[in-house]
């Protein structure tokens, strides 16, 4: 792959230099290089008259304390003229922060003010309009792309005051990526390319480059730029959406509101654990326990295929869902929506475990959800007992902890539920009203967890290291033969200036042992800051800890979550970690004075609901960044004058349902 950013003369001379350099190579290689250079130049020349630069003027400042990246600055990006009358498609990165005006710079360096016609927020595009006296040169948007995976492709852009051409070549790595919406290429694409065309060697525009990452793959959509992983909206899709955009109609991703039973999207299982309240699925009559058989005519056998089939559709689109219920197949038409009421996760206050069930058949994988203990003063106190087997909720079967948790996360607030329970061999029904997870931190603990502890605690401190990074880590945990039930893991990110994780753990050993919480302390690589690249490091260390110690819940925190400790860069990193790495963490605890990082906020997810603990006495005392988190369905626990024992108790209680 080659990436070039040169003046007009230098840009095309570069191909000549490449050919001269190749003269010392074998004849066949020289010929191939000459042919490729000529093909790239000719292909780029076909679209360059329609490639423009987009400049934003008067961009609002980034959030206080956040690192201002190249992408977040007011550096120019690209656009493509799609209509000679002055319609230009560009990446919506130019609108991520408010600006005074948007300018389109034509290939002849003419600057024209642009207005926003409409946005495709599903695919990260914006349609702009400029007024010009002369017709512009526009690209053709093909109705079909036949470029095969593995074929050579070229990213094209412009840069600088003289509108220098830029090209970056690679291959078409895949199609239908990011849940069926994107083409993928390994061409190295910097932010300036966003909004520019991805073309084949014949000069056909096959996609429009946009910043994007896989869900949970990075803290921000721009994080993978120049990494060899780039995405583009297929032009046939854009050609279809352009009709609505021309009319000034914004486009949103289509949402349906179904929650999978399986924790693994690649498992051969499409049964639903829950259906979101007031969602299109609920309105269409789809219920928890239904098994999805096909989406929009595409047969599905795993939930990843369900997401892949739903991915290309927008709000307002009507699709057919075929499902199985009680052994019978049915189908229903569902109109997707642009929004579903955010989650208001609920709790009944039990610690439940899975154990092998007595099904009477040969299914060795069958399990039962059994109540191990009940939290005092919780909705289940006096109603559920230790040993109760929870087999169903509101008529839908329960056979895993994940299913029960997802039903409660998506339950309607203040609505009574009915549990099907087997108690001492007899079936019964128990009705209770769950309580919101959001609110004041309970002072209660499970009776089983407060029993007398062994005199010899058998907890020590050990080093935790990854072979390819310099970050230091250490953890305190019980010896394997002294393991207790229901342990939790608390990952603590230390202030950058704190360089000894074992020393940081020294004052926490006793309280960690008393509260049953394994603590892992991690230092930053640099003694001045935490860096976005360390998100992967912390994720890997957390995964390593999960392999060493069996725990029921995992939280991540900074030391400043305890009232009176000053916030540091670790607090921002904790927020970035939790919102980016959705698979590892059940909760985060940070200072209410933390400065939010530049992370794109996503709605809290039913299959991995995240809780937030802050050392505040009321929501009114909370920071301004708390409101958008709460509005996105993240339950906020009010910790008050938090001490370490309170923080550890909260971390352990994350595993209760």
């Amino acid at each position: 792959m080659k990436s070039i950013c040169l003046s007009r003369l230098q840009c095309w001379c570069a191909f000549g230099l490449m050919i001269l350099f190749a003269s010392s190579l074998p004849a066949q290689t020289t010929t191939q290089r000459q042919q490729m250079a000529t093909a790239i130049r000719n292909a780029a020349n076909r679209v360059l008259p329609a490639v423009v630069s987009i400049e934003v003027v008067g961009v609002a400042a980034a959030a206080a304390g956040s690192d201002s990246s190249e992408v977040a600055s007011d550096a120019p990006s690209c656009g493509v003229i799609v209509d000679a009358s002055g319609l230009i498609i560009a990446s919506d990165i130019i609108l991520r922060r408010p600006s005074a005006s948007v300018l389109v710079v034509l290939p002849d360096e003419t600057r024209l003010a642009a207005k926003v016609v409409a946005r495709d927020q599903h695919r990260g595009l914006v349609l702009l309009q400029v007024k010009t006296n002369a017709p512009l040169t526009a690209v053709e948007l093909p109705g079909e792309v036949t470029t095969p995976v593995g074929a050579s492709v070229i990213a094209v852009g412009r840069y600088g005051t003289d509108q220098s051409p830029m090209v970056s070549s690679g291959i078409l790595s895949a199609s239908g990526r990011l849940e069926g919406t994107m083409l993928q290429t390994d061409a190295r694409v910097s932010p300036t390319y966003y909004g520019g065309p991805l073309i084949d060697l014949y000069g056909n525009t096959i996609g429009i480059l946009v910043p994007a990452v896989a869900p949970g793959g990075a803290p921000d959509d721009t994080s993978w730029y120049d990494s060899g992983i780039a995405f583009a909206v297929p032009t046939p899709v854009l050609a279809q959406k352009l009709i609505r955009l021309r009319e000034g109609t914004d486009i949103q991703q289509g949402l349906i509101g179904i929650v999978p039973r399986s924790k693994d999207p690649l498992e051969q299982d499409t049964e639903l654990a829950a259906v979101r309240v007031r969602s299109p699925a609920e309105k269409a009559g789809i219920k928890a326990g239904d098994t999805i058989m096909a989406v929009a005519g595409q047969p599905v056998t795993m939930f990843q295929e369900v997401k892949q089939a739903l991915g290309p559709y927008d709000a307002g689109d009507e699709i057919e869902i075929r499902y199985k219920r009680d052994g019978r197949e049915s189908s229903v038409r569902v109109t997707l929506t642009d929004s579903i009421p955010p989650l208001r996760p609920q709790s009944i206050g039990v610690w439940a475990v899975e154990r092998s069930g007595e099904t009477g058949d040969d299914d060795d994988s069958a399990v039962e959800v059994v109540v191990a203990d009940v939290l005092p003063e919780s909705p289940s106190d006096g109603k559920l007992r230790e040993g109760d087997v929870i087999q169903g909720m509101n008529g839908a079967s329960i056979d895993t902890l994940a299913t029960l948790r997802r039903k409660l996360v998506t339950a309607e607030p203040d609505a009574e539920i009915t549990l099907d329970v087997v108690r001492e061999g007899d079936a019964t029904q128990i009705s209770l009203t769950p309580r919101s997870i959001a609110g004041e931190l309970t002072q209660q603990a499970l009776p089983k967890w407060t029993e007398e502890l062994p005199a010899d605690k058998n907890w020590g401190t050990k080093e935790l290291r990854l072979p390819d990074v310099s970050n230091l880590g250490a953890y305190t945990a019980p010896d394997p033969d002294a393991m207790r039930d229901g342990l939790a893991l608390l990952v603590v990110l230390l202030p950058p200036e704190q360089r000894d994780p074992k020393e940081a753990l020294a004052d926490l050993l006793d309280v960690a042992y008393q509260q049953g919480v394994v603590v892992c302390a991690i230092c930053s690589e640099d003694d001045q800051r935490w860096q976005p690249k360390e998100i992967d490091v912390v994720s890997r260390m957390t995964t390593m800890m999960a392999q060493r110690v069996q725990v029921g819940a995992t939280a991540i925190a900074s030391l400043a979550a305890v009232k009176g400790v000053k916030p540091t860069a670790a607090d921002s990193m904790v927020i970035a970690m939790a919102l980016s790495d959705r698979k590892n963490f059940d909760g985060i605890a940070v200072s209410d004075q933390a400065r939010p990082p530049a992370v794109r906020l996503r709605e809290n997810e039913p299959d991995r609901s995240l809780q937030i603990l802050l050392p505040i006495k009321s929501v009114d005392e909370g920071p301004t960044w708390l409101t958008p988190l709460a509005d996105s369905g993240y339950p906020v626990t009010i910790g008050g004058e938090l001490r370490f024992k309170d923080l550890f108790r909260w971390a352990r209680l994350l595993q209760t349902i």
Side-chain angles (χ1 to χ4, degrees):
M1 295 180 292
K2 302 247 176 228
S3 183
I4 307 172
C5 176
L6 305 164
S7 68
R8 284 190 177 89
L9 179 60
Q10 290 172 321
C11 185
W12 300 127
C13 284
F15 291 106
L17 290 173
M18 185 168 61
I19 293 170
L20 288 174
F21 171 77
S23 63
S24 60
L25 300 176
Q28 185 179 10
T29 304
T30 301
T31 301
Q32 290 173 343
R33 288 175 176 265
Q34 290 173 330
Q35 291 174 341
M36 179 59 74
T38 300
I40 291 175
R41 180 173 58 193
N42 291 341
N45 276 333
R46 286 192 59 183
V47 298
L48 274 169
V51 179
V52 299
S53 284
I54 309 293
E55 296 179 351
V56 288
V57 180
V59 178
S66 63
D67 292 331
S68 181
S69 67
E70 178 182 355
V71 179
S73 72
D74 56 357
S77 59
C78 288
V80 179
I81 301 169
V82 293
D83 190 285
S85 66
L87 289 175
I88 295 155
I89 202 76
S91 164
D92 71 357
I93 191 173
I94 63 174
L95 303 178
R96 297 282 174 87
R97 287 188 286 142
S99 60
S101 60
V102 178
L103 297 179
V104 170
V105 187
L106 301 179
D108 64 2
E109 302 177 28
T110 300
R111 280 172 165 76
L112 301 173
K115 72 172 185 177
V116 176
V117 178
R119 297 178 65 175
D120 183 346
Q121 298 185 8
H122 185 182
R123 299 166 186 84
L125 297 172
V126 60
L127 183 65
L128 304 175
Q129 173 80 64
V130 297
K131 292 183 178 180
T132 176
N133 295 326
L136 303 177
T137 302
V139 298
E140 293 183 8
L141 300 178
E144 181 182 6
V145 168
T146 58
T147 307
V149 171
S152 296
V153 292
I154 308 158
V156 181
R158 289 189 181 277
Y159 183 79
T161 56
D162 61 354
Q163 293 297 283
S164 300
M166 298 193 310
V167 295
S168 180
S169 62
I171 64 168
L172 184 64
S173 308
S175 61
R177 295 285 284 129
L178 301 190
E179 297 179 3
T181 61
M182 297 287 171
L183 302 175
Q184 180 177 322
T185 176
D186 67 351
R188 292 192 177 274
V189 173
S190 63
T192 309
Y193 282 96
Y194 295 148
L198 183 69
I199 64 175
D200 62 19
L201 286 179
Y202 302 99
N204 299 311
T205 302
I206 66 172
I208 301 297
L209 296 158
V210 292
V213 298
D220 187 78
D221 286 351
T222 62
S223 298
W224 284 357
Y225 82 83
D226 203 28
S227 66
I229 303 175
F231 298 103
V233 178
T235 46
V237 175
L238 175 57
Q240 296 173 7
K241 306 305 175 184
L242 197 56
I243 299 173
R244 292 176 61 183
L245 295 174
R246 285 175 185 267
E247 297 171 348
T249 303
D250 287 347
I251 297 173
Q252 305 276 357
Q253 180 180 1
L255 305 176
I256 188 170
I258 55 178
V259 181
R261 170 186 176 276
S262 174
K263 294 184 290 185
D264 182 0
L266 298 178
E267 183 181 349
Q268 298 287 317
D269 183 5
T270 57
E271 184 179 332
L272 302 182
V275 173
R276 297 283 294 273
V277 176
R278 295 184 293 279
S279 68
E282 183 188 60
K283 293 175 182 177
I286 298 173
K287 298 181 179 181
D290 290 349
T291 298
I292 304 300
M293 307 298 293
V295 175
Q298 298 185 40
V300 293
T301 59
M302 60 183 71
F303 214 78
Q304 183 58 42
E305 292 176 341
V306 175
K307 295 196 295 184
Q308 192 80 4
L310 287 169
Y313 291 96
D314 302 320
D317 290 345
E318 185 182 77
I319 62 173
E320 182 183 50
I321 301 293
R322 195 169 86 247
Y323 62 92
K324 181 184 290 186
R325 179 186 300 166
D326 299 328
R328 297 179 58 184
E329 288 193 19
S330 303
S331 63
V332 66
R333 305 290 298 183
V334 181
T335 300
L336 305 181
T337 186
D338 61 351
S339 64
I340 297 173
L343 296 175
R344 295 291 182 262
Q346 305 293 297
S347 170
I348 59 175
V350 299
W351 172 36
V353 296
E354 292 180 351
R355 73 180 184 193
S356 298
E358 298 177 2
T359 62
D361 55 31
D362 296 329
D363 185 4
D364 294 334
S365 64
V367 298
E368 292 178 336
V369 177
V370 183
V371 175
D373 208 354
V374 177
L375 189 67
E377 300 182 14
S378 72
S380 295
D381 191 11
K383 295 195 172 186
L384 291 175
R385 304 176 187 171
E386 179 184 352
D388 285 351
V389 179
I390 301 176
Q391 294 189 329
M393 173 176 157
N394 292 342
S397 64
I398 300 289
D399 57 3
T400 67
L401 281 174
T403 302
L404 178 57
R405 185 180 297 276
R406 291 174 189 186
K407 286 184 180 299
L408 288 167
V409 166
T410 57
E412 189 163 7
D414 304 318
E416 186 179 73
I417 64 171
T418 300
L419 297 175
D420 298 317
V421 173
V422 174
R423 176 177 294 169
E424 297 178 352
D426 296 325
T428 185
Q429 287 190 328
I430 295 175
S431 296
L432 54 84
T433 301
R435 184 170 59 201
S436 175
I437 289 175
E440 293 186 6
L441 176 63
T442 180
Q443 298 302 308
Q444 301 295 328
L446 289 171
K448 278 196 171 183
W449 293 350
T450 57
E451 295 173 353
E452 185 177 354
L453 299 173
D456 183 6
K457 65 182 182 181
N458 292 315
W459 281 42
T461 301
K462 299 179 181 179
E463 185 181 79
L464 184 72
R465 293 290 300 271
L466 294 173
D468 56 340
V469 299
S470 59
N471 298 72
L472 300 178
Y475 67 96
T476 178
D479 293 334
D481 57 354
M483 199 69 65
R484 291 149 59 185
D485 291 334
L487 293 177
L489 169 64
L490 182 66
V491 178
V492 177
L493 302 190
L494 299 175
E497 64 273 14
Q498 196 159 359
R499 311 308 298 163
D500 188 343
K502 287 189 175 181
E503 181 181 349
L505 289 176
D507 295 333
L508 304 177
L509 294 178
D510 288 340
V511 68
Y513 169 69
Q514 292 165 4
Q515 298 295 328
V517 177
V518 176
V519 184
C520 172
I522 303 175
C523 295
S524 59
E525 179 184 67
D526 188 279
D527 63 4
Q528 300 294 318
R529 57 177 180 162
W530 278 95
Q531 304 169 75
K533 69 176 184 178
E534 292 172 284
I535 287 177
D536 180 62
V537 174
V538 176
S539 293
R540 290 165 58 197
M541 284 187 166
T542 303
T543 300
M544 183 182 295
M545 283 299 306
Q547 295 169 345
R548 296 188 178 187
V549 184
Q550 185 175 355
V551 296
T554 302
I556 185 168
S558 73
L559 295 175
V562 175
K563 198 72 175 181
V565 180
K566 292 183 178 180
T568 68
D571 290 84
S572 296
M573 187 63 176
V574 166
I575 299 174
M577 274 297 316
L579 295 181
S580 302
D581 181 6
R582 303 304 299 273
K583 68 182 184 297
N584 272 324
F585 301 108
D586 301 287
I588 65 172
V590 294
S591 167
D592 55 314
Q593 302 300 314
R595 294 180 173 180
V599 177
R600 188 173 184 181
L601 181 59
R602 296 180 173 89
E603 182 182 304
N604 201 13
E605 300 173 358
D607 54 345
R608 194 61 177 177
S609 178
L610 188 72
Q611 302 180 32
I612 301 171
L613 175 66
L614 292 178
I616 55 178
K617 295 181 179 179
S618 71
V619 174
D620 294 337
E621 286 187 5
T624 56
W625 50 263
L626 191 59
T627 299
L629 282 169
D631 290 345
S632 297
Y634 294 87
V636 178
T637 300
I638 298 169
E641 298 285 342
L642 271 181
R643 294 172 291 176
F644 279 113
K645 70 174 185 178
D646 301 315
L647 173 63
F648 287 13
R649 186 179 69 255
W650 165 82
R652 199 175 186 192
L653 286 174
L654 286 173
Q655 64 193 284
T656 60
I657 294 176

